[in-house]
Amino acid sequence: MTETIKVTVLGSTGSIGENTLDVIARHAKYEVFALTACHSVETLAGQCRRFTPRFAVLADSSRAAELEQMLADCPTEVLSGADQLETVAAHPDTDTVMAAIVGAAGLRATLAAVAAGKKVLLANKESLVMAGELFMDSVRRGGGQLLPIDSEHNAIYQCLPVPLIGDVISGKQGVRKVILTASGGPFLDLPADRLGDVTPEQACRHPRWEMGRKISVDSATLMNKGLEFIEACFLFDLPCEQLEVVIHPQSIVHSMVEYQDGSVIAQLANPDMRIPIAYGLAWPERIDSGAVGLDLTGLQPLEFRSPDLERFPCLRLGMDAARAAGTAPAILNAANEVAVAGFLAGRLQFDRIHRVIAEVMSKMPCEVAASLDIIQTADSQARILANELIVKENV
Ligand code: NAD
Ligand code: MG
């Protein structure tokens, strides 16, 4: 009998987490080792009853007793507190870790998995954006495998001739540039003067993907593509000049790699996150993801346009942070998380999100990101500043 692969799903109650469990449930060779959530006790309890993991971690300790009670008749051991996320991510008995916590909250556990040499499936792009160089050093030192789950980076990975993660792309393998596609989000064609009135519900209604609320707002501002621009630079050790963003509203081509001879290799698929998740789980093999295959002759025409950086300044801010490097991406990410939370809570207008981020970036020095402490200090200071700006409403 072949050994089962023991998977830890960090952020199992979210959109990526649930899609991961959907793929796992289709294949007997995967076993769930640990599941984690912030405070969605009911969903986590339901997942534990279905998958009987060895551990369930609730980051919010105040509700752990409730979870224990719900799982009284289940063999799963309940752990609580953010530190325990690292325990299950680096546990010697887990093989593969899906990093699907949203935002900076996922950084420590993702790094713990990477340092422990696990096969890490990276959905939590914010952790790479914040700590890019340290993160990639840790991948090299840990000796594990890092597989991108973000659909664009997964596509790029698939379009490269050999896995180039953590390797210098420039001058190697004849790559001329990488083309990152963006759907453009729900407000792609909305006139700029109407962006001030959009509601969180409208921003979260993405035309192609069903995702968590934070990444949905990021897709609507195009900050998601700004974060992905930074993510691609670190993942593939790619200079900014070799990276281009193209709007592709149909979300069928998930990204492309152009070679020196003029060939462009693209990955196409229906927009379904189970495809990159299945790719990451099974790599280097291929397994069924549950997604419907492409109906090429039934598709809408595929369009490609240049992004409008005037209407969507968040993309430009992301590109600027990639060029500045150091602590700039961590500052950008922290200010964005605060601004998006402010928008979702009805405290900030949609068209002010970019102003908060730009203001924080202009007020904070960009330092060398030499340690995790430096990065986390920059993150905390950016959060304080962004919150002050929102409270004072002077953006
Ligand atoms: P989501 O909001 O649906 O789920 C987030 C998960 O993280 C939940 O399980 C939640 O309990 C957990 N979590 C939130 N805050 C936490 C905290 N402080 N401590 C511990 N756990 C916490 O988000 P999502 O859409 O699944 O996105 C997850 C990550 O994947 C994000 O980084 C996102 O950018 C990335 N991603 C998502 C998609 C997608 O289609 N949803 C696509 C590409 C990349
Ligand atoms: Mg993406």
Side-chain angles (χ1 to χ4, degrees):
M1 215 182 85
T2 48
E3 287 260 310
T4 54
I5 295 162
K6 298 184 182 65
V7 186
T8 287
V9 186
L10 302 171
S12 64
T13 55
S15 161
I16 293 288
E18 301 230 63
N19 275 307
T20 304
L21 292 176
D22 181 285
V23 177
I24 286 177
R26 293 167 192 276
H27 304 277
K29 70 171 166 181
Y30 301 106
E31 191 184 316
V32 178
F33 177 76
L35 296 174
T36 86
C38 188
H39 41 235
S40 316
V41 185
E42 288 81 9
T43 312
L44 186 58
Q47 292 179 338
C48 288
R49 268 194 291 276
R50 181 164 176 217
F51 292 94
T52 55
R54 194 149 124 207
F55 297 107
V57 183
L58 202 62
D60 173 2
S61 323
S62 68
R63 298 196 64 186
E66 223 177 303
L67 181 64
E68 257 172 36
Q69 209 166 21
M70 285 180 190
L71 294 177
D73 55 346
C74 183
T76 299
E77 184 179 335
V78 173
L79 305 175
S80 68
D83 291 350
Q84 301 294 351
L85 298 169
E86 291 168 61
T87 309
V88 294
H91 197 288
D93 292 345
T94 191
D95 308 298
T96 297
V97 176
M98 164 56 82
I101 291 174
V102 60
L107 176 64
R108 287 199 173 264
T110 308
L111 274 179
V114 160
K118 304 296 176 194
K119 177 175 177 181
V120 176
L121 313 186
L122 184 71
N124 176 221
K125 67 190 88 182
E126 296 91 344
S127 58
L128 188 58
V129 166
M130 287 175 75
E133 271 179 52
L134 289 179
F135 190 108
M136 294 310 291
D137 276 351
S138 198
V139 172
R140 278 183 279 267
R141 277 202 309 271
Q145 186 83 36
L146 182 67
L147 288 151
I149 297 304
D150 217 345
S151 56
E152 297 77 2
H153 305 72
N154 188 271
I156 295 163
Y157 192 81
Q158 295 194 46
C159 295
L160 291 171
V162 286
L164 277 169
I165 292 280
D167 201 350
V168 180
I169 225 178
S170 118
K172 282 196 183 173
Q173 317 292 339
V175 173
R176 185 185 280 162
K177 66 177 174 188
V178 167
I179 304 159
L180 202 56
T181 55
S183 72
F187 308 134
L188 179 58
D189 296 314
L190 197 69
D193 60 359
R194 290 186 47 204
L195 286 173
D197 305 327
V198 303
T199 64
E201 279 56 46
Q202 289 169 323
C204 289
R205 216 174 297 132
H206 195 277
R208 306 280 163 203
W209 302 93
E210 220 186 290
M211 308 180 286
R213 286 168 78 76
K214 190 261 178 185
I215 185 177
S216 296
V217 177
D218 286 349
S219 298
T221 60
L222 286 202
M223 178 53 91
N224 184 47
K225 215 47 57 179
L227 297 175
E228 290 182 358
F229 190 94
I230 302 167
E231 184 185 10
C233 291
F234 285 127
L235 263 179
F236 304 111
D237 203 359
L238 188 68
C240 298
E241 312 75 61
Q242 277 180 275
L243 194 52
E244 183 183 334
V245 175
V246 167
I247 301 290
H248 167 48
Q250 293 75 28
S251 297
I252 295 293
V253 175
H254 296 292
S255 278
M256 299 171 255
V257 176
E258 183 181 317
Y259 289 87
Q260 298 291 357
D261 59 8
S263 299
V264 176
I265 311 278
Q267 187 252 359
L268 282 73
N270 279 322
D272 186 326
M273 285 310 291
R274 291 176 300 175
I275 298 173
I277 291 168
Y279 179 90
L281 277 171
W283 186 91
E285 291 166 21
R286 298 264 184 178
I287 53 170
D288 174 33
S289 65
V292 176
L294 261 189
D295 171 13
L296 282 172
T297 56
L299 284 180
Q300 301 276 316
L302 303 183
E303 299 166 77
F304 299 94
R305 325 180 195 162
S306 293
D308 182 344
L309 299 181
E310 301 303 318
R311 278 177 56 234
F312 297 102
C314 283
L315 174 56
R316 192 198 298 277
L317 290 171
M319 291 167 158
D320 289 348
R323 285 187 198 100
T327 51
I331 295 168
L332 170 100
N333 179 66
N336 180 56
E337 285 191 26
V338 171
V340 170
F343 168 67
L344 285 171
R347 295 192 295 126
L348 186 71
Q349 273 179 221
F350 182 83
D351 62 352
R352 303 281 163 97
I353 293 175
H354 73 91
R355 294 209 220 169
V356 170
I357 302 162
E359 187 80 7
V360 171
M361 296 206 62
S362 73
K363 288 206 160 111
M364 282 188 60
C366 172
E367 292 172 70
V368 177
S371 70
L372 210 51
D373 275 354
I374 292 176
I375 292 167
Q376 287 195 313
T377 303
D379 172 283
S380 309
Q381 287 173 350
R383 281 171 202 271
I384 293 168
L385 251 176
N387 267 313
E388 281 173 6
L389 288 168
I390 295 173
V391 170
K392 287 191 205 141
E393 289 183 347
N394 61 355
V395 284

